[in-house]
Amino acid sequence: MSGSKNEKFSQKQAGSAEKTSILEDARKIAAAADEKSKSKLLYGDGFWKVRTIRRTNLRKIELHDGPLGLRIPEKGSNGKARPSVCYPSPALLACSFSTRLIGEVGTMLGREALMEGTDVVLAPGINIKRNPRCGRNFEYFSEDPFLAGKLGASFIKGIQSTGVGATLKHFFGNNQEFRRFTSSSEIDERALNEIYLRPFEIAVKEGKPWAVMCSYNLVNGVQMSSNSHYLKDVLKGEWNFEGPVMSDWGASVDPILDHASGMDLEMPGMRKKRFKEILDAQKDGKLNKSDIDESAARILTMAIKKSQRTEPRNAVNRGMARALAEKAAEESIVLAKNDRDFLPFRDYRSTCIIGAMAKEPRYQGSGSSEVNPTDLKRFYDVALLPSHENLPYARGYAYGGDFDSEKLRREAVELAKSNRKVIMFLGLPPEKESEGFDREDLRLPQEQVELVRAVSEVNRNIVVVLASGGPVEIPFLKDIRALLIAYLPGEAGADAIDSLILGKTSPSGRLAETWPLLYSDVPSSSFYPGKRDKSRYKESIYVGYRYYSTCSEPVLFPFGHGLSYGKIKYSSLLVGSKELGPGEKVSVQVDVTNQSAIKCREAVLLFVSKKTNSHGRPKRELKGFKDVILKPGETKTVAFELLYQDFSFYSDVLSKWSCEGGAFNVEICKTAERAVLSASIKVAQSDENIPPERKEAAPYLSFVKNGYLDVSDKEFDAYCGRIYEPESVPDKFDSSSTFEEISGTLVGKIIKFVIKRSILSKEERKSGKPSSFYLMAMAQPIRSVRAMGFGDKLIEAIVFFANGEFSKGIKRLLASR
């Protein structure tokens, strides 16, 4: 291509992508572009835009956050976003076990993005819930890689069915928020492939996202943004991903090295002349021309896909979107306890409402996913409408306000005495869990625990509605009649809770993660999140139910737990073949009958279990799930298909998926704890002779036998094939030190003051109550200021000042101007 006429990339040419591939077409455009234009593509145009090649009809790309709903920051609003529909958090949506529902939410989100002029949505996040303390778990689907991958793929397909792109994130090993910029996730090869890479592989191959976002953290000592093995060899090579890999915002530590290693797009792009550094790096031999060309082409694939879009911008009705948000919450909220069929209620007569969250709902998480809802309802108002009279209400606990907790508790007790039924709203306050930092524990605020105990002494007819981004300890479970786990249900959560309590809809949510009795029961509890910048994943493949079911550890609620107002019966489990060989597949079907007089939705879970093995297999693993809607008395046959790989494990000795063969059980389960139906199948061994586990794997084999996990750092490092090195805290601050860590120094105090003034409102500064955005900012490392366009000399100056080396700091500060 040459000359302005030929440089016009026509719709006809774009359509030819069907014959070759969009990436091939993008490579042709990139090859014809000048070096400066291509280099400018490799970093963002500010915070939310991506450039394109001039003199083509390919337009810029606009990206925005979207895990819980579209978040487009308004200019000059101090981070406040435009109004958009706030859907249930992915942590709740996953409890639907419904690819259909997830796809519908993705489609509606894509339509809203289209209407708002957003081209690429920065969602979904499918990181594994390794530990329930992770502050960002509300953005993720599950502890199970198969479930997370399948739901992620459905979400991507839904968004992209509208002509808007999806961004799969955060690739990968981002399973904690503590020191997420600098911590290395130390993971053994088997866990890497079976647990942490698997959901991304499923989502990439089945969902085909426009883009993939790499995570902040390191994996086995290598920064993900510069991890050429996983970005180039695995993601782009083995999985054939054809789009761009973008950095998380500020994740690129060394942009030149990152571009050479497979990261295509540095975000954000606050340094307007970054292209000069890229071109200089090419001249100096630090960056190959082929790397620039390939990254430019991959970035252009988004612009080409945008040019093919035909959907009109008024393709969404916010009323319909909110109705879907309500439906999604209804199908996902989990009825965890219902003693003697206490629920549903006929009406709210002789019912009181206790709990500040009934009027100040906790409906979403904090951080980059925070949505400005279009029509947020309070449960108190929703419940009030049909009654046409005031419902008795008591705040019950302070919830961060300037109240006397003891007085509030007494008022709630008196209210409970004079009413037959109590609906109590409890949960974690927003400052307890957020992107940017981890939860300190799994405990609810003590004032809430004491409230339940006090009220239950005078009235045990209590329904607790629980709002949190993940599991919490529930020491009062025996003192209440019913429990609804609502997670973070979105702006229509109150309507959904009302429908479930009154029986307008039968609950059908099933927990997509295990709820432990105590935090100490979590397999990684004694070594999470790591001492400083090394997080050893010593539990290996035994994450979530893979641990609890294998060692028969009692839990509060198992993976898959969820009650209904109806009665569902499973029967006639049929496996299409009694034997299965390499490359083959087998059909499985089961009859599901609604034996009640109400319509029910049922999530059917299929697991496989190895009867005997010598390679440390979990007791059972999820390999299929489908939801089915049943009329009263109706029976439906639910069909699955199992592949040979579904019976395999990853052999780190052979560096490949293998199957030792033998007898397996195919199981239909209500929860991961037990099967309700089971059938046997004989699976052939892989062609090769599978060597036994290395002697370093002994602790994991004995764990299976003895029922506990106790692996030292030395044993784990040996299992991973690495030399054990004890971690020490540096005696000086460096660029990886956080603003919170240097906040006691003079320069740290100044930075803290600036952050407070720029992030906290006058009311927040006056109350002394920090917002989640402030806590996120303070948890950032010093080097994160690169994302705001500041150079290395300023970073060095801050480090010198923090260490008391003022003369060096002043020199660097002057040099930075």
Side-chain angles (χ1 to χ4, degrees), residues 295-309:
S295 288
R298 287 177 176 271
I299 293 163
L300 284 172
T301 61
M302 297 190 294
I304 295 175
K305 289 173 182 177
K306 176 180 177 177
S307 75
Q308 298 173 342
R309 192 162 64 206

Side-chain angles (χ1 to χ4, degrees), residues 230-258:
Y230 292 111
L231 298 185
K232 284 187 172 181
D233 301 340
V234 176
L235 178 59
K236 297 177 179 179
E238 293 176 24
W239 301 351
N240 197 33
F241 173 64
E242 295 193 341
V245 174
M246 70 175 72
S247 74
D248 204 337
W249 268 233
S252 181
V253 179
D254 184 341
I256 301 305
L257 174 62
D258 294 350

Side-chain angles (χ1 to χ4, degrees), residues 431-543:
E431 65 269 14
K432 285 288 185 180
E433 55 185 350
S434 169
E435 176 187 353
F437 57 88
D438 291 330
R439 291 159 61 183
E440 295 179 359
D441 50 52
L442 298 190
R443 292 192 291 271
L444 285 167
Q446 188 60 28
E447 61 175 354
Q448 294 184 23
V449 175
E450 292 173 359
L451 171 67
V452 180
R453 287 173 176 162
V455 170
S456 66
E457 288 178 2
V458 300
N459 188 340
R460 298 179 79 90
N461 293 323
I462 303 171
V463 178
V464 166
V465 179
L466 191 59
S468 66
V472 295
E473 296 171 1
I474 308 179
F476 50 77
L477 187 63
K478 68 181 186 304
D479 300 325
I480 62 175
R481 292 282 299 278
L483 173 65
L484 282 170
I485 297 176
Y487 279 93
L488 304 174
E491 68 177 66
D495 301 275
I497 292 164
D498 173 71
S499 292
L500 294 170
I501 289 178
L502 294 180
K504 301 173 190 175
T505 304
S506 177
S508 59
R510 309 275 287 275
L511 290 175
E513 62 184 316
T514 308
W515 281 49
L517 283 165
L518 300 170
Y519 178 65
S520 56
D521 297 330
V522 176
S524 57
S525 62
S526 63
F527 45 85
Y528 178 91
K531 294 176 182 177
R532 182 175 167 82
D533 284 336
K534 185 174 285 191
S535 182
R536 290 181 170 90
Y537 286 40
K538 294 195 293 183
E539 73 279 11
S540 187
I541 60 171
Y542 295 102
V543 177

Side-chain angles (χ1 to χ4, degrees), residues 158-367:
I159 292 173
Q160 295 184 171
S161 68
T162 68
V164 169
T167 304
L168 182 64
K169 62 182 189 180
H170 307 89
F171 185 74
F172 72 102
N174 184 183
N175 311 107
Q176 66 187 55
E177 291 297 284
F178 173 74
R179 297 187 66 80
R180 60 178 175 166
F181 282 82
T182 57
S183 178
S184 176
S185 300
E186 301 290 303
I187 314 174
D188 66 273
E189 282 300 312
R190 186 169 174 191
L192 271 171
N193 286 275
E194 291 190 22
I195 306 297
Y196 299 100
L197 283 172
R198 185 65 179 142
F200 286 96
E201 180 180 9
I202 293 170
V204 165
K205 290 181 175 180
E206 296 183 11
K208 302 186 187 310
W210 281 23
V212 169
M213 181 189 294
C214 62
S215 55
Y216 287 119
N217 54 277
L218 300 81
V219 170
N220 294 335
V222 182
Q223 203 83 39
M224 271 314 304
S225 56
S226 58
N227 203 318
S228 62
H229 172 63
Y230 292 111
L231 298 185
K232 284 187 172 181
D233 301 340
V234 176
L235 178 59
K236 297 177 179 179
E238 293 176 24
W239 301 351
N240 197 33
F241 173 64
E242 295 193 341
V245 174
M246 70 175 72
S247 74
D248 204 337
W249 268 233
S252 181
V253 179
D254 184 341
I256 301 305
L257 174 62
D258 294 350
H259 287 309
S261 304
M263 184 202 75
D264 304 298
L265 175 60
E266 179 193 358
M267 291 300 296
M270 304 304 288
R271 299 192 71 176
K272 296 187 180 298
K273 295 189 178 181
R274 174 74 83 189
F275 72 90
K276 289 186 176 180
E277 297 171 29
I278 294 171
L279 293 175
D280 288 343
Q282 182 183 333
K283 292 176 183 176
D284 296 341
K286 294 178 182 178
L287 193 58
N288 294 329
K289 179 181 182 299
S290 59
D291 290 321
I292 297 174
D293 288 351
E294 181 66 9
S295 288
R298 287 177 176 271
I299 293 163
L300 284 172
T301 61
M302 297 190 294
I304 295 175
K305 289 173 182 177
K306 176 180 177 177
S307 75
Q308 298 173 342
R309 192 162 64 206
T310 58
E311 191 81 13
R313 283 202 167 185
N314 59 351
V316 66
N317 177 297
R318 284 221 166 110
M320 292 173 60
R322 194 185 183 282
L324 176 60
E326 181 180 345
K327 173 190 170 186
E330 282 182 7
E331 294 190 7
S332 303
I333 290 172
V334 177
L335 178 63
K337 180 178 181 179
N338 194 21
D339 185 28
R340 300 190 303 278
D341 294 329
F342 186 54
L343 289 175
F345 293 168
R346 284 188 177 183
D347 50 47
Y348 292 124
R349 283 181 291 183
S350 192
T351 302
C352 65
I353 299 174
I354 296 175
M357 289 186 181
K359 289 191 174 182
E360 301 169 37
R362 178 86 200 286
Y363 62 97
Q364 68 171 324
S366 301

Side-chain angles (χ1 to χ4, degrees), residues 436-717:
F437 57 88
D438 291 330
R439 291 159 61 183
E440 295 179 359
D441 50 52
L442 298 190
R443 292 192 291 271
L444 285 167
Q446 188 60 28
E447 61 175 354
Q448 294 184 23
V449 175
E450 292 173 359
L451 171 67
V452 180
R453 287 173 176 162
V455 170
S456 66
E457 288 178 2
V458 300
N459 188 340
R460 298 179 79 90
N461 293 323
I462 303 171
V463 178
V464 166
V465 179
L466 191 59
S468 66
V472 295
E473 296 171 1
I474 308 179
F476 50 77
L477 187 63
K478 68 181 186 304
D479 300 325
I480 62 175
R481 292 282 299 278
L483 173 65
L484 282 170
I485 297 176
Y487 279 93
L488 304 174
E491 68 177 66
D495 301 275
I497 292 164
D498 173 71
S499 292
L500 294 170
I501 289 178
L502 294 180
K504 301 173 190 175
T505 304
S506 177
S508 59
R510 309 275 287 275
L511 290 175
E513 62 184 316
T514 308
W515 281 49
L517 283 165
L518 300 170
Y519 178 65
S520 56
D521 297 330
V522 176
S524 57
S525 62
S526 63
F527 45 85
Y528 178 91
K531 294 176 182 177
R532 182 175 167 82
D533 284 336
K534 185 174 285 191
S535 182
R536 290 181 170 90
Y537 286 40
K538 294 195 293 183
E539 73 279 11
S540 187
I541 60 171
Y542 295 102
V543 177
Y545 74 83
R546 283 169 167 76
Y547 169 80
Y548 299 108
S549 63
T550 303
C551 70
S552 301
E553 177 74 29
V555 298
L556 183 65
F557 301 119
F559 177 91
H561 174 72
L563 307 177
S564 169
Y565 296 152
K567 184 180 180 182
I568 302 295
K569 180 184 176 182
Y570 293 95
S571 62
S572 304
L573 174 63
L574 297 175
V575 179
S577 174
K578 292 184 178 180
E579 296 186 357
L580 184 69
E584 296 177 349
K585 55 189 176 182
V586 63
S587 62
V588 179
Q589 64 181 48
V590 63
D591 287 345
V592 187
T593 302
N594 181 4
Q595 295 183 320
S596 50
I598 59 173
K599 185 172 76 171
C600 295
R601 190 185 72 91
E602 177 75 357
V604 184
L605 311 186
L606 176 71
F607 290 77
V608 299
S609 174
K610 183 75 169 68
K611 290 187 177 180
T612 59
N613 71 86
S614 59
H615 290 83
R617 302 286 291 269
K619 184 175 182 178
R620 56 176 56 95
E621 297 174 90
L622 182 72
K623 297 298 178 181
F625 61 93
K626 286 186 179 179
D627 71 317
V628 58
I629 297 173
L630 299 166
K631 298 175 185 176
E634 185 179 15
T635 297
K636 286 186 178 179
T637 299
V638 179
F640 299 93
E641 187 176 80
L642 290 174
L643 306 178
Y644 181 76
Q645 183 174 317
D646 291 326
F647 299 87
S648 303
F649 73 102
Y650 188 85
S651 169
D652 63 346
V653 179
L654 296 173
S655 297
K656 59 188 280 190
W657 288 88
S658 305
C659 182
E660 73 272 43
F664 283 80
N665 284 331
V666 176
E667 303 174 333
I668 300 296
C669 299
K670 280 282 192 179
T671 75
E673 284 192 334
R674 68 180 186 88
V676 294
L677 293 175
S678 179
S680 182
I681 184 171
K682 185 178 180 181
V683 180
Q685 182 174 313
S686 306
D687 292 338
E688 72 279 346
N689 291 320
I690 301 174
E693 294 271 14
R694 295 180 288 109
K695 60 179 175 44
E696 289 84 3
Y700 296 97
L701 300 177
S702 63
F703 152 69
V704 175
K705 296 172 185 175
N706 301 332
Y708 65 92
L709 180 61
D710 185 15
V711 182
S712 70
D713 289 352
K714 284 186 178 180
E715 287 175 314
F716 178 71
D717 284 3

